[in-house]
Amino acid sequence: AKLSYFTYDGHGGAICHIDPSSVVIRDKQGNDVTAGYTLRFLQGTIKVKSKQITIVVADEIKNGRPVNITKVYDGQSASTANFKLTKGSLYRGDTVFVTPHSVSADVGRHDNKVSVTITNQAGQDRTAYYNVKVDVCKVVIEKRPLAVSTPDVTLVYNGMRQYADQYAIESGS
């Protein structure tokens, strides 16, 4: 018998259909005796389980874990799309694409937000066929050091608020 087509059920499974014209029953001598039978075809179901994989997204990985991106505040955000498949494997011809999303440029510890897409050789999205665990590094933006000095100033009291508007940057930028 030959399976003629599948009907996908939308939940990771498919219903199998048999092409009745492909069924041939032969006796011990090899004669076609199909006409002597009343055939009834029962549909079977194929369940497709998602393939388990783990992806670590980071510029550097130590002991299988992502190393955080650390940088000094410069007003620019940071992220990475570099990754390594650490558990499981892709089906032959499938490719992983990691797309970074905007991360805050403010001082602090931020999630490196990414999206993962898996496509086949024809460019068709196959992400739904995988159960993808993504272990993503953090982006740590540290305060920028800056040393500012003001000169010593002597002013005569005039009853108003007084300012010394001179300063110098001693270190940092």
Side-chain angles (χ1 to χ4, degrees):
K2 180 171 103 180
L3 295 177
S4 60
Y5 61 96
F6 295 99
T7 303
Y8 291 97
D9 67 6
H11 302 287
I15 298 170
C16 306
H17 302 274
I18 298 174
D19 177 1
S21 66
S22 71
V23 177
V24 177
I25 301 171
R26 299 193 184 277
D27 63 14
K28 289 182 183 179
Q29 290 75 35
N31 299 313
D32 182 349
V33 293
T34 309
Y37 291 84
T38 300
L39 298 175
R40 184 169 60 121
F41 297 97
L42 305 174
Q43 294 178 342
T45 302
I46 295 175
K47 288 290 182 189
V48 179
K49 289 177 60 177
S50 299
K51 191 165 179 141
Q52 306 278 330
I53 62 171
T54 300
I55 296 172
V56 176
V57 180
D59 288 334
E60 184 180 351
I61 300 169
K62 285 189 180 174
N63 300 322
R65 302 282 304 142
V67 175
N68 291 339
I69 297 171
T70 302
K71 66 177 265 180
V72 174
Y73 174 77
D74 63 1
Q76 302 293 315
S77 64
S79 65
T80 186
N82 294 328
F83 71 92
K84 181 176 182 182
L85 185 64
T86 58
K87 289 186 182 172
S89 62
L90 296 175
Y91 179 72
R92 184 180 61 245
D94 285 357
T95 304
V96 174
F97 294 95
V98 174
T99 304
H101 298 285
S102 181
V103 175
S104 175
D106 296 334
V107 170
R109 184 180 176 100
H110 311 282
D111 290 331
N112 179 32
K113 297 177 182 163
V114 300
S115 59
V116 175
T117 305
I118 301 171
T119 61
N120 64 10
Q121 289 175 325
Q124 297 166 320
D125 189 343
R126 294 296 185 233
T127 310
Y129 296 105
Y130 290 88
N131 182 356
V132 183
K133 178 183 176 204
V134 182
D135 194 2
V136 183
C137 67
K138 300 285 186 192
V139 176
V140 179
I141 301 178
E142 298 175 339
K143 291 183 177 183
R144 183 178 227 35
L146 183 65
V148 179
S149 65
T150 57
D152 293 332
V153 177
T154 302
L155 302 171
V156 175
Y157 176 72
N158 65 4
M160 306 204 42
R161 186 179 231 173
Q162 296 179 326
Y163 300 94
D165 60 1
Q166 298 171 341
Y167 67 91
I169 297 175
E170 298 296 328
S171 65
S173 59

mmCIF file of all heavy atoms in Angstrom, residues 126-173:
data_model
loop_
_atom_site.group_PDB
_atom_site.id
_atom_site.type_symbol
_atom_site.label_atom_id
_atom_site.label_comp_id
_atom_site.label_asym_id
_atom_site.label_seq_id
_atom_site.Cartn_x
_atom_site.Cartn_y
_atom_site.Cartn_z
ATOM 1 N N ARG A 126 10.600 26.644 10.040
ATOM 2 C CA ARG A 126 10.432 25.338 10.687
ATOM 3 C C ARG A 126 10.550 25.442 12.209
ATOM 4 O O ARG A 126 10.674 24.452 12.902
ATOM 5 C CB ARG A 126 11.473 24.333 10.161
ATOM 6 C CG ARG A 126 11.279 23.987 8.691
ATOM 7 C CD ARG A 126 9.956 23.282 8.536
ATOM 8 N NE ARG A 126 9.745 22.815 7.173
ATOM 9 C CZ ARG A 126 8.679 23.097 6.465
ATOM 10 N NH1 ARG A 126 7.732 23.860 6.961
ATOM 11 N NH2 ARG A 126 8.532 22.633 5.252
ATOM 12 N N THR A 127 10.481 26.666 12.724
ATOM 13 C CA THR A 127 10.653 26.895 14.162
ATOM 14 C C THR A 127 9.649 26.091 14.981
ATOM 15 O O THR A 127 9.990 25.567 16.045
ATOM 16 C CB THR A 127 10.512 28.397 14.484
ATOM 17 O OG1 THR A 127 11.348 29.143 13.590
ATOM 18 C CG2 THR A 127 10.913 28.698 15.912
ATOM 19 N N ALA A 128 8.432 25.950 14.504
ATOM 20 C CA ALA A 128 7.383 25.250 15.250
ATOM 21 C C ALA A 128 7.700 23.769 15.463
ATOM 22 O O ALA A 128 7.127 23.135 16.346
ATOM 23 C CB ALA A 128 6.048 25.392 14.532
ATOM 24 N N TYR A 129 8.610 23.218 14.676
ATOM 25 C CA TYR A 129 8.966 21.807 14.812
ATOM 26 C C TYR A 129 10.053 21.578 15.861
ATOM 27 O O TYR A 129 10.483 20.455 16.083
ATOM 28 C CB TYR A 129 9.426 21.239 13.465
ATOM 29 C CG TYR A 129 8.327 21.259 12.449
ATOM 30 C CD1 TYR A 129 8.317 22.196 11.421
ATOM 31 C CD2 TYR A 129 7.269 20.361 12.526
ATOM 32 C CE1 TYR A 129 7.291 22.228 10.495
ATOM 33 C CE2 TYR A 129 6.230 20.391 11.608
ATOM 34 C CZ TYR A 129 6.258 21.328 10.591
ATOM 35 O OH TYR A 129 5.242 21.364 9.685
ATOM 36 N N TYR A 130 10.503 22.650 16.494
ATOM 37 C CA TYR A 130 11.540 22.567 17.512
ATOM 38 C C TYR A 130 11.021 23.130 18.826
ATOM 39 O O TYR A 130 10.257 24.089 18.840
ATOM 40 C CB TYR A 130 12.775 23.373 17.090
ATOM 41 C CG TYR A 130 13.528 22.768 15.933
ATOM 42 C CD1 TYR A 130 13.189 23.082 14.620
ATOM 43 C CD2 TYR A 130 14.575 21.893 16.146
ATOM 44 C CE1 TYR A 130 13.873 22.532 13.552
ATOM 45 C CE2 TYR A 130 15.278 21.341 15.086
ATOM 46 C CZ TYR A 130 14.917 21.659 13.796
ATOM 47 O OH TYR A 130 15.597 21.111 12.742
ATOM 48 N N ASN A 131 11.450 22.535 19.927
ATOM 49 C CA ASN A 131 11.233 23.098 21.254
ATOM 50 C C ASN A 131 12.574 23.722 21.615
ATOM 51 O O ASN A 131 13.506 23.016 21.985
ATOM 52 C CB ASN A 131 10.829 22.011 22.242
ATOM 53 C CG ASN A 131 10.556 22.565 23.616
ATOM 54 O OD1 ASN A 131 10.729 23.759 23.871
ATOM 55 N ND2 ASN A 131 10.142 21.713 24.520
ATOM 56 N N VAL A 132 12.668 25.033 21.469
ATOM 57 C CA VAL A 132 13.942 25.731 21.598
ATOM 58 C C VAL A 132 14.061 26.366 22.980
ATOM 59 O O VAL A 132 13.239 27.208 23.353
ATOM 60 C CB VAL A 132 14.089 26.834 20.523
ATOM 61 C CG1 VAL A 132 15.450 27.504 20.624
ATOM 62 C CG2 VAL A 132 13.865 26.260 19.135
ATOM 63 N N LYS A 133 15.068 25.946 23.719
ATOM 64 C CA LYS A 133 15.408 26.618 24.975
ATOM 65 C C LYS A 133 16.541 27.582 24.635
ATOM 66 O O LYS A 133 17.537 27.186 24.028
ATOM 67 C CB LYS A 133 15.875 25.617 26.032
ATOM 68 C CG LYS A 133 16.280 26.297 27.325
ATOM 69 C CD LYS A 133 16.812 25.324 28.347
ATOM 70 C CE LYS A 133 17.281 26.094 29.563
ATOM 71 N NZ LYS A 133 18.275 25.360 30.320
ATOM 72 N N VAL A 134 16.349 28.849 24.983
ATOM 73 C CA VAL A 134 17.354 29.861 24.675
ATOM 74 C C VAL A 134 17.920 30.389 25.985
ATOM 75 O O VAL A 134 17.182 30.874 26.842
ATOM 76 C CB VAL A 134 16.745 31.020 23.849
ATOM 77 C CG1 VAL A 134 17.814 32.042 23.499
ATOM 78 C CG2 VAL A 134 16.083 30.491 22.587
ATOM 79 N N ASP A 135 19.225 30.264 26.142
ATOM 80 C CA ASP A 135 19.940 30.774 27.316
ATOM 81 C C ASP A 135 20.715 31.998 26.845
ATOM 82 O O ASP A 135 21.654 31.872 26.054
ATOM 83 C CB ASP A 135 20.878 29.690 27.854
ATOM 84 C CG ASP A 135 21.405 30.002 29.234
ATOM 85 O OD1 ASP A 135 21.021 31.036 29.812
ATOM 86 O OD2 ASP A 135 22.222 29.203 29.736
ATOM 87 N N VAL A 136 20.283 33.178 27.264
ATOM 88 C CA VAL A 136 20.802 34.428 26.722
ATOM 89 C C VAL A 136 21.622 35.169 27.772
ATOM 90 O O VAL A 136 21.243 35.227 28.944
ATOM 91 C CB VAL A 136 19.632 35.325 26.244
ATOM 92 C CG1 VAL A 136 20.140 36.593 25.608
ATOM 93 C CG2 VAL A 136 18.751 34.571 25.276
ATOM 94 N N CYS A 137 22.729 35.769 27.313
ATOM 95 C CA CYS A 137 23.552 36.570 28.221
ATOM 96 C C CYS A 137 22.810 37.841 28.617
ATOM 97 O O CYS A 137 21.832 38.227 27.995
ATOM 98 C CB CYS A 137 24.879 36.934 27.548
ATOM 99 S SG CYS A 137 24.705 38.068 26.143
ATOM 100 N N LYS A 138 23.284 38.477 29.642
ATOM 101 C CA LYS A 138 22.779 39.786 30.064
ATOM 102 C C LYS A 138 23.705 40.862 29.505
ATOM 103 O O LYS A 138 24.860 40.588 29.170
ATOM 104 C CB LYS A 138 22.763 39.909 31.596
ATOM 105 C CG LYS A 138 21.896 38.890 32.302
ATOM 106 C CD LYS A 138 20.458 39.215 32.154
ATOM 107 C CE LYS A 138 19.615 38.259 32.990
ATOM 108 N NZ LYS A 138 18.225 38.340 32.676
ATOM 109 N N VAL A 139 23.191 42.072 29.397
ATOM 110 C CA VAL A 139 24.003 43.218 29.014
ATOM 111 C C VAL A 139 24.140 44.083 30.267
ATOM 112 O O VAL A 139 23.139 44.544 30.814
ATOM 113 C CB VAL A 139 23.349 44.026 27.869
ATOM 114 C CG1 VAL A 139 24.170 45.269 27.555
ATOM 115 C CG2 VAL A 139 23.196 43.149 26.635
ATOM 116 N N VAL A 140 25.376 44.249 30.722
ATOM 117 C CA VAL A 140 25.646 45.040 31.920
ATOM 118 C C VAL A 140 26.339 46.326 31.487
ATOM 119 O O VAL A 140 27.433 46.285 30.914
ATOM 120 C CB VAL A 140 26.537 44.256 32.910
ATOM 121 C CG1 VAL A 140 26.819 45.104 34.144
ATOM 122 C CG2 VAL A 140 25.895 42.926 33.283
ATOM 123 N N ILE A 141 25.674 47.448 31.730
ATOM 124 C CA ILE A 141 26.250 48.744 31.385
ATOM 125 C C ILE A 141 26.638 49.432 32.692
ATOM 126 O O ILE A 141 25.789 49.689 33.545
ATOM 127 C CB ILE A 141 25.271 49.597 30.562
ATOM 128 C CG1 ILE A 141 24.913 48.844 29.273
ATOM 129 C CG2 ILE A 141 25.870 50.969 30.264
ATOM 130 C CD1 ILE A 141 23.918 49.529 28.382
ATOM 131 N N GLU A 142 27.936 49.657 32.808
ATOM 132 C CA GLU A 142 28.476 50.242 34.042
ATOM 133 C C GLU A 142 28.576 51.761 33.918
ATOM 134 O O GLU A 142 28.664 52.304 32.814
ATOM 135 C CB GLU A 142 29.868 49.644 34.317
ATOM 136 C CG GLU A 142 29.813 48.141 34.533
ATOM 137 C CD GLU A 142 31.190 47.514 34.676
ATOM 138 O OE1 GLU A 142 32.195 48.122 34.233
ATOM 139 O OE2 GLU A 142 31.252 46.398 35.222
ATOM 140 N N LYS A 143 28.570 52.413 35.084
ATOM 141 C CA LYS A 143 28.704 53.873 35.096
ATOM 142 C C LYS A 143 30.059 54.271 34.528
ATOM 143 O O LYS A 143 31.061 53.613 34.765
ATOM 144 C CB LYS A 143 28.559 54.413 36.525
ATOM 145 C CG LYS A 143 27.161 54.288 37.065
ATOM 146 C CD LYS A 143 27.057 54.900 38.449
ATOM 147 C CE LYS A 143 25.628 54.820 38.949
ATOM 148 N NZ LYS A 143 25.489 55.471 40.265
ATOM 149 N N ARG A 144 30.055 55.363 33.783
ATOM 150 C CA ARG A 144 31.282 55.893 33.206
ATOM 151 C C ARG A 144 31.949 56.763 34.268
ATOM 152 O O ARG A 144 31.323 57.679 34.813
ATOM 153 C CB ARG A 144 30.943 56.748 31.986
ATOM 154 C CG ARG A 144 32.143 57.288 31.258
ATOM 155 C CD ARG A 144 31.685 58.084 30.052
ATOM 156 N NE ARG A 144 32.305 57.865 28.796
ATOM 157 C CZ ARG A 144 32.772 56.771 28.254
ATOM 158 N NH1 ARG A 144 32.736 55.672 28.909
ATOM 159 N NH2 ARG A 144 33.309 56.739 27.061
ATOM 160 N N PRO A 145 33.219 56.495 34.572
ATOM 161 C CA PRO A 145 33.902 57.321 35.575
ATOM 162 C C PRO A 145 34.240 58.709 35.010
ATOM 163 O O PRO A 145 34.603 58.834 33.842
ATOM 164 C CB PRO A 145 35.181 56.532 35.886
ATOM 165 C CG PRO A 145 35.390 55.632 34.716
ATOM 166 C CD PRO A 145 34.045 55.404 34.089
ATOM 167 N N LEU A 146 34.049 59.697 35.828
ATOM 168 C CA LEU A 146 34.333 61.067 35.409
ATOM 169 C C LEU A 146 34.771 61.850 36.643
ATOM 170 O O LEU A 146 34.048 61.864 37.644
ATOM 171 C CB LEU A 146 33.071 61.696 34.796
ATOM 172 C CG LEU A 146 33.182 63.095 34.225
ATOM 173 C CD1 LEU A 146 34.121 63.113 33.025
ATOM 174 C CD2 LEU A 146 31.805 63.609 33.829
ATOM 175 N N ALA A 147 35.949 62.476 36.582
ATOM 176 C CA ALA A 147 36.452 63.308 37.686
ATOM 177 C C ALA A 147 36.466 64.755 37.219
ATOM 178 O O ALA A 147 37.111 65.091 36.220
ATOM 179 C CB ALA A 147 37.852 62.862 38.096
ATOM 180 N N VAL A 148 35.694 65.605 37.936
ATOM 181 C CA VAL A 148 35.596 67.025 37.599
ATOM 182 C C VAL A 148 36.124 67.824 38.784
ATOM 183 O O VAL A 148 35.772 67.551 39.935
ATOM 184 C CB VAL A 148 34.120 67.414 37.319
ATOM 185 C CG1 VAL A 148 34.009 68.895 36.988
ATOM 186 C CG2 VAL A 148 33.542 66.557 36.204
ATOM 187 N N SER A 149 36.953 68.797 38.481
ATOM 188 C CA SER A 149 37.478 69.656 39.565
ATOM 189 C C SER A 149 37.081 71.101 39.298
ATOM 190 O O SER A 149 36.863 71.503 38.153
ATOM 191 C CB SER A 149 38.998 69.535 39.659
ATOM 192 O OG SER A 149 39.601 70.049 38.492
ATOM 193 N N THR A 150 36.943 71.838 40.373
ATOM 194 C CA THR A 150 36.678 73.281 40.264
ATOM 195 C C THR A 150 37.835 73.997 40.952
ATOM 196 O O THR A 150 38.410 73.489 41.925
ATOM 197 C CB THR A 150 35.353 73.658 40.946
ATOM 198 O OG1 THR A 150 35.398 73.253 42.306
ATOM 199 C CG2 THR A 150 34.184 73.001 40.245
ATOM 200 N N PRO A 151 38.163 75.178 40.477
ATOM 201 C CA PRO A 151 39.277 75.905 41.111
ATOM 202 C C PRO A 151 38.817 76.544 42.429
ATOM 203 O O PRO A 151 37.626 76.699 42.665
ATOM 204 C CB PRO A 151 39.624 76.981 40.077
ATOM 205 C CG PRO A 151 38.332 77.226 39.361
ATOM 206 C CD PRO A 151 37.618 75.899 39.339
ATOM 207 N N ASP A 152 39.783 76.850 43.246
ATOM 208 C CA ASP A 152 39.465 77.609 44.452
ATOM 209 C C ASP A 152 39.136 79.040 44.024
ATOM 210 O O ASP A 152 39.825 79.639 43.209
ATOM 211 C CB ASP A 152 40.673 77.633 45.413
ATOM 212 C CG ASP A 152 40.965 76.250 45.964
ATOM 213 O OD1 ASP A 152 40.015 75.437 46.056
ATOM 214 O OD2 ASP A 152 42.131 75.958 46.277
ATOM 215 N N VAL A 153 38.042 79.587 44.561
ATOM 216 C CA VAL A 153 37.587 80.933 44.187
ATOM 217 C C VAL A 153 37.257 81.685 45.474
ATOM 218 O O VAL A 153 36.646 81.138 46.383
ATOM 219 C CB VAL A 153 36.331 80.862 43.290
ATOM 220 C CG1 VAL A 153 35.827 82.262 42.965
ATOM 221 C CG2 VAL A 153 36.616 80.087 42.024
ATOM 222 N N THR A 154 37.641 82.915 45.536
ATOM 223 C CA THR A 154 37.299 83.773 46.663
ATOM 224 C C THR A 154 36.385 84.869 46.129
ATOM 225 O O THR A 154 36.725 85.583 45.191
ATOM 226 C CB THR A 154 38.560 84.400 47.288
ATOM 227 O OG1 THR A 154 39.437 83.358 47.696
ATOM 228 C CG2 THR A 154 38.199 85.272 48.493
ATOM 229 N N LEU A 155 35.189 84.968 46.729
ATOM 230 C CA LEU A 155 34.219 85.962 46.307
ATOM 231 C C LEU A 155 33.820 86.814 47.512
ATOM 232 O O LEU A 155 33.824 86.345 48.637
ATOM 233 C CB LEU A 155 32.977 85.282 45.733
ATOM 234 C CG LEU A 155 33.196 84.347 44.544
ATOM 235 C CD1 LEU A 155 31.917 83.579 44.239
ATOM 236 C CD2 LEU A 155 33.639 85.131 43.329
ATOM 237 N N VAL A 156 33.426 88.015 47.258
ATOM 238 C CA VAL A 156 32.953 88.911 48.310
ATOM 239 C C VAL A 156 31.437 88.775 48.379
ATOM 240 O O VAL A 156 30.753 88.787 47.354
ATOM 241 C CB VAL A 156 33.364 90.376 48.003
ATOM 242 C CG1 VAL A 156 32.773 91.328 49.046
ATOM 243 C CG2 VAL A 156 34.861 90.501 47.942
ATOM 244 N N TYR A 157 30.915 88.653 49.592
ATOM 245 C CA TYR A 157 29.477 88.497 49.790
ATOM 246 C C TYR A 157 28.743 89.688 49.208
ATOM 247 O O TYR A 157 29.095 90.835 49.427
ATOM 248 C CB TYR A 157 29.179 88.360 51.285
ATOM 249 C CG TYR A 157 27.697 88.301 51.569
ATOM 250 C CD1 TYR A 157 26.972 87.167 51.239
ATOM 251 C CD2 TYR A 157 27.032 89.377 52.140
ATOM 252 C CE1 TYR A 157 25.612 87.109 51.479
ATOM 253 C CE2 TYR A 157 25.665 89.318 52.391
ATOM 254 C CZ TYR A 157 24.969 88.185 52.058
ATOM 255 O OH TYR A 157 23.620 88.114 52.286
ATOM 256 N N ASN A 158 27.660 89.358 48.418
ATOM 257 C CA ASN A 158 26.887 90.441 47.808
ATOM 258 C C ASN A 158 25.387 90.268 48.066
ATOM 259 O O ASN A 158 24.568 90.918 47.451
ATOM 260 C CB ASN A 158 27.171 90.544 46.314
ATOM 261 C CG ASN A 158 26.705 89.317 45.554
ATOM 262 O OD1 ASN A 158 26.101 88.409 46.126
ATOM 263 N ND2 ASN A 158 26.994 89.295 44.257
ATOM 264 N N GLY A 159 25.004 89.333 48.940
ATOM 265 C CA GLY A 159 23.609 89.118 49.279
ATOM 266 C C GLY A 159 22.855 88.257 48.263
ATOM 267 O O GLY A 159 21.673 87.994 48.431
ATOM 268 N N MET A 160 23.500 87.822 47.243
ATOM 269 C CA MET A 160 22.867 87.006 46.203
ATOM 270 C C MET A 160 23.585 85.657 46.094
ATOM 271 O O MET A 160 24.685 85.496 46.614
ATOM 272 C CB MET A 160 22.920 87.742 44.860
ATOM 273 C CG MET A 160 22.327 89.130 44.968
ATOM 274 S SD MET A 160 21.722 89.865 43.483
ATOM 275 C CE MET A 160 20.882 88.671 42.628
ATOM 276 N N ARG A 161 22.918 84.755 45.407
ATOM 277 C CA ARG A 161 23.547 83.456 45.151
ATOM 278 C C ARG A 161 24.739 83.691 44.221
ATOM 279 O O ARG A 161 24.619 84.400 43.223
ATOM 280 C CB ARG A 161 22.543 82.526 44.491
ATOM 281 C CG ARG A 161 23.049 81.144 44.328
ATOM 282 C CD ARG A 161 21.995 80.293 43.707
ATOM 283 N NE ARG A 161 21.829 79.114 44.514
ATOM 284 C CZ ARG A 161 20.902 78.214 44.351
ATOM 285 N NH1 ARG A 161 19.992 78.379 43.424
ATOM 286 N NH2 ARG A 161 20.836 77.165 45.102
ATOM 287 N N GLN A 162 25.878 83.076 44.542
ATOM 288 C CA GLN A 162 27.079 83.286 43.733
ATOM 289 C C GLN A 162 27.552 81.965 43.130
ATOM 290 O O GLN A 162 27.384 80.910 43.736
ATOM 291 C CB GLN A 162 28.184 83.915 44.584
ATOM 292 C CG GLN A 162 27.776 85.298 45.072
ATOM 293 C CD GLN A 162 28.847 85.937 45.928
ATOM 294 O OE1 GLN A 162 29.554 85.265 46.658
ATOM 295 N NE2 GLN A 162 28.962 87.254 45.831
ATOM 296 N N TYR A 163 28.111 82.077 41.957
ATOM 297 C CA TYR A 163 28.548 80.885 41.235
ATOM 298 C C TYR A 163 30.008 81.011 40.844
ATOM 299 O O TYR A 163 30.499 82.101 40.573
ATOM 300 C CB TYR A 163 27.743 80.708 39.934
ATOM 301 C CG TYR A 163 26.265 80.554 40.163
ATOM 302 C CD1 TYR A 163 25.408 81.662 40.110
ATOM 303 C CD2 TYR A 163 25.720 79.315 40.426
ATOM 304 C CE1 TYR A 163 24.054 81.514 40.323
ATOM 305 C CE2 TYR A 163 24.355 79.167 40.624
ATOM 306 C CZ TYR A 163 23.538 80.269 40.572
ATOM 307 O OH TYR A 163 22.197 80.126 40.780
ATOM 308 N N ALA A 164 30.634 79.848 40.774
ATOM 309 C CA ALA A 164 31.971 79.759 40.169
ATOM 310 C C ALA A 164 31.778 78.842 38.965
ATOM 311 O O ALA A 164 31.516 77.661 39.123
ATOM 312 C CB ALA A 164 32.973 79.190 41.154
ATOM 313 N N ASP A 165 31.799 79.383 37.780
ATOM 314 C CA ASP A 165 31.460 78.598 36.590
ATOM 315 C C ASP A 165 32.664 78.007 35.879
ATOM 316 O O ASP A 165 32.596 77.649 34.720
ATOM 317 C CB ASP A 165 30.619 79.423 35.624
ATOM 318 C CG ASP A 165 31.340 80.673 35.139
ATOM 319 O OD1 ASP A 165 32.496 80.891 35.541
ATOM 320 O OD2 ASP A 165 30.740 81.405 34.344
ATOM 321 N N GLN A 166 33.734 77.888 36.585
ATOM 322 C CA GLN A 166 34.913 77.272 35.992
ATOM 323 C C GLN A 166 35.032 75.841 36.507
ATOM 324 O O GLN A 166 34.772 75.569 37.674
ATOM 325 C CB GLN A 166 36.173 78.063 36.355
ATOM 326 C CG GLN A 166 36.149 79.484 35.825
ATOM 327 C CD GLN A 166 37.306 80.276 36.383
ATOM 328 O OE1 GLN A 166 37.894 79.921 37.385
ATOM 329 N NE2 GLN A 166 37.623 81.376 35.700
ATOM 330 N N TYR A 167 35.419 74.941 35.602
ATOM 331 C CA TYR A 167 35.646 73.550 35.993
ATOM 332 C C TYR A 167 36.633 72.932 35.012
ATOM 333 O O TYR A 167 36.873 73.476 33.922
ATOM 334 C CB TYR A 167 34.351 72.745 36.009
ATOM 335 C CG TYR A 167 33.727 72.541 34.646
ATOM 336 C CD1 TYR A 167 34.042 71.421 33.890
ATOM 337 C CD2 TYR A 167 32.839 73.467 34.111
ATOM 338 C CE1 TYR A 167 33.507 71.235 32.636
ATOM 339 C CE2 TYR A 167 32.285 73.290 32.859
ATOM 340 C CZ TYR A 167 32.614 72.178 32.123
ATOM 341 O OH TYR A 167 32.091 71.986 30.885
ATOM 342 N N ALA A 168 37.169 71.798 35.393
ATOM 343 C CA ALA A 168 38.074 71.056 34.518
ATOM 344 C C ALA A 168 37.782 69.570 34.669
ATOM 345 O O ALA A 168 37.510 69.092 35.775
ATOM 346 C CB ALA A 168 39.524 71.355 34.890
ATOM 347 N N ILE A 169 37.815 68.869 33.545
ATOM 348 C CA ILE A 169 37.675 67.408 33.587
ATOM 349 C C ILE A 169 39.056 66.822 33.805
ATOM 350 O O ILE A 169 39.950 66.999 32.979
ATOM 351 C CB ILE A 169 37.028 66.869 32.304
ATOM 352 C CG1 ILE A 169 35.602 67.428 32.176
ATOM 353 C CG2 ILE A 169 37.027 65.350 32.291
ATOM 354 C CD1 ILE A 169 34.906 67.048 30.886
ATOM 355 N N GLU A 170 39.215 66.187 34.958
ATOM 356 C CA GLU A 170 40.530 65.651 35.329
ATOM 357 C C GLU A 170 40.757 64.256 34.699
ATOM 358 O O GLU A 170 41.862 63.944 34.288
ATOM 359 C CB GLU A 170 40.640 65.545 36.855
ATOM 360 C CG GLU A 170 40.522 66.892 37.560
ATOM 361 C CD GLU A 170 41.648 67.837 37.213
ATOM 362 O OE1 GLU A 170 42.771 67.385 36.964
ATOM 363 O OE2 GLU A 170 41.391 69.059 37.164
ATOM 364 N N SER A 171 39.709 63.458 34.648
ATOM 365 C CA SER A 171 39.832 62.139 34.009
ATOM 366 C C SER A 171 38.447 61.693 33.542
ATOM 367 O O SER A 171 37.435 62.115 34.088
ATOM 368 C CB SER A 171 40.416 61.110 34.978
ATOM 369 O OG SER A 171 39.548 60.891 36.059
ATOM 370 N N GLY A 172 38.444 60.848 32.539
ATOM 371 C CA GLY A 172 37.192 60.378 31.973
ATOM 372 C C GLY A 172 36.766 61.258 30.818
ATOM 373 O O GLY A 172 37.463 62.178 30.416
ATOM 374 N N SER A 173 35.596 60.956 30.302
ATOM 375 C CA SER A 173 35.079 61.760 29.209
ATOM 376 C C SER A 173 33.568 61.718 29.204
ATOM 377 O O SER A 173 32.946 60.920 29.820
ATOM 378 C CB SER A 173 35.604 61.250 27.861
ATOM 379 O OG SER A 173 35.220 59.913 27.675
#
